[in-house]
Amino acid sequence: MPGLHQKSFNKYASRFYDKNEALADHFSHKTLLILNEAHRKIGLQPDADNCLQIAVSFDGFWLTRGHKSLIGIGAVIDILTGLVIDTHVLSLHCQICATTGAKIKKEKSNNYEQWLQEHKESGSCTINFEGVSGMMEVEAATVLWARSVEKFRLKYTIFVGDGDSKAYNKVCDLAPYGPDVEIEKEECLNHVGKRMGAALRNVVSDCSKRGITLGGRGSGRLTANAIRKLSIYYTRGIRSHDTAAEMKKAILASLHHCYSTDEHPQHSHCPSGPDSWCFFKKGLARHQFVFGHKKRVHTPLNFDLLHKHLMLIYERLTADNLLSRCERKANQNANESFHSSVWARCGKTVFHSKKKVQLAVVSAAAEYNFGPSSSLHLKNLLSIPSGENASRLSECRAKKRLTKSLERSQAAEKKRKRMRKEAIERAQREATEEEAAAYAPGMH
């Protein structure tokens, strides 16, 4: 079956693209109503400028992988509600400049500058950024923070981002809310957790180049499995505690617990009490003779071989100024989910124009915030009637989305219960073996 002619397609596509701004304004208004109500419920009131000061997560993403993308996007998402507040699309490419402009420059170079000026003044040029692709994220952050007060009556005073601080530093230099309003930086918990694994892999690699083997085979070495477990212990220490001091103690406890042996137990940081996760402290609380570190320490580490190398890593990654920025337990999961919604509409394998990407971003944000029924509003803007099938399809998509979410959460809960049951059974088995050994011949 033949498709539309290119001119016909462009005609109808332009009708969609022209409604981008109207669609974005409509859903921004709905988003702000929900956001303001949610923040007022927790007692947050507008400041002297009649603006709400809120915490947001920011992240940039690109149309093509790597550092040569012609299209880049920045998105701001509210931490409390998880709603997409604002987005900005940046482009290094204009198809008219690349075709018509190139032809005029080649054939009539004297008229090119005049044509280029008229082209930009007409508003048809899609280039709105000059520089390298990697700096698009910085530029997007600057634009989004600069217009937050005028457009939304919001102040993004808490910036949740990844380890790259270029965007945050640029926003601080901009001081969009005046010199008296400080913008605080908080870390994405997922990115912080990854730093431990990266640091441990780097130290193994660096020491290997100097002829020091920290990894490889054998008990007590930094194998791939040991690095994975230490990263999990590090992230768990942050997630399960509220203050930086508690986080640091838990992280150091996980390290020294792994160093421990029957001859040199190192459990001073481990939590005390009969319900402690540490078998040594649990045994002491129950007035039992505790031994069997070789069997019961599941991630053994060689203190003499590793401590001088790990000490620097753990000192850096348990610094108070880092852990204090993790106390909110914020992350960029919502940003990553929004990214996938955008690329589901315009895939990374094919180049798309800035206008098409803008439409994909607006429609993705609308569906992300309000569900599949938001697509019906776009049809209303285009004077396209929505029939029963369209409404039924949007309801089915919303139901399927909810069902998948419930299935994932139920599967995760089943896994947690199974792991908890296995841990209890393992602890009971070890306690029985320990009690039997205590009453063996020759034991007192």
Side-chain angles (χ1 to χ4, degrees), residues 165-406:
S165 59
K166 291 180 183 178
Y168 171 70
N169 291 338
K170 184 68 175 180
V171 168
C172 289
D173 293 339
L174 178 66
Y177 313 130
D180 298 330
V181 180
E182 181 182 0
I183 300 174
E184 301 178 18
K185 175 71 159 55
E186 292 194 3
E187 299 291 340
C188 169
L189 190 56
N190 296 331
H191 285 86
V192 173
K194 292 178 182 178
R195 295 181 193 178
M196 177 58 73
L200 294 176
R201 286 188 290 271
N202 289 338
V203 75
V204 170
S205 177
D206 293 342
C207 288
S208 178
K209 294 175 183 177
R210 293 186 278 124
I212 303 173
T213 305
L214 301 183
R217 297 181 179 180
S219 177
R221 293 184 173 273
L222 272 181
T223 62
N225 188 48
I227 291 174
R228 181 183 64 84
K229 287 186 176 181
L230 289 175
S231 300
I232 293 173
Y233 300 156
Y234 176 75
T235 307
R236 189 178 296 167
I238 297 176
R239 289 185 185 277
S240 56
H241 296 86
D242 297 326
T243 65
E246 293 173 346
M247 294 176 191
K248 183 173 184 178
K249 185 176 180 180
I251 294 167
L252 293 178
S254 68
L255 175 65
H256 287 276
H257 181 88
C258 296
Y259 283 147
S260 298
T261 62
D262 286 340
E263 295 78 15
H264 300 287
Q266 301 187 36
H267 300 281
S268 58
H269 296 283
C270 295
S272 303
D275 297 325
S276 173
W277 56 262
C278 173
F279 70 92
F280 188 86
K281 285 296 186 70
K282 185 188 296 184
L284 292 181
R286 296 175 179 178
H287 307 288
Q288 296 174 348
F289 178 73
V290 184
F291 61 95
H293 281 77
K294 187 174 183 179
K295 182 177 180 181
R296 300 173 72 173
V297 174
H298 302 296
T299 312
L301 298 177
N302 189 323
F303 180 86
D304 296 330
L305 174 66
L306 300 176
H307 183 63
K308 61 183 178 182
H309 301 288
L310 300 187
M311 179 180 62
L312 298 176
I313 295 174
Y314 273 80
E315 284 180 353
R316 175 168 60 87
L317 295 182
T318 58
D320 291 339
N321 60 350
L322 172 63
L323 296 181
S324 62
R325 297 198 298 269
C326 300
E327 292 179 352
R328 191 184 292 271
K329 308 293 189 298
N331 57 57
Q332 292 179 305
N333 290 348
N335 295 80
E336 299 297 337
S337 179
F338 175 61
H339 298 174
S340 65
S341 298
V342 173
W343 303 135
R345 288 162 170 77
C346 52
K348 288 175 172 281
T349 56
V350 181
F351 179 78
H352 303 282
S353 67
K354 177 190 171 188
K355 290 183 178 181
K356 184 174 181 179
V357 173
Q358 283 179 321
L359 179 61
V361 169
V362 172
S363 61
E367 182 168 334
Y368 189 88
N369 289 353
F370 307 107
S373 60
S374 59
S375 61
L376 301 178
H377 183 75
L378 176 59
K379 292 184 177 181
N380 294 334
L381 286 176
L382 295 170
S383 301
I384 300 175
S386 299
E388 293 182 3
N389 290 334
S391 300
R392 187 163 56 248
L393 178 61
S394 65
E395 292 176 2
C396 290
R397 288 182 63 195
K399 190 178 295 184
K400 184 177 180 181
R401 180 180 177 184
L402 178 60
T403 301
K404 283 188 173 181
S405 177
L406 290 174

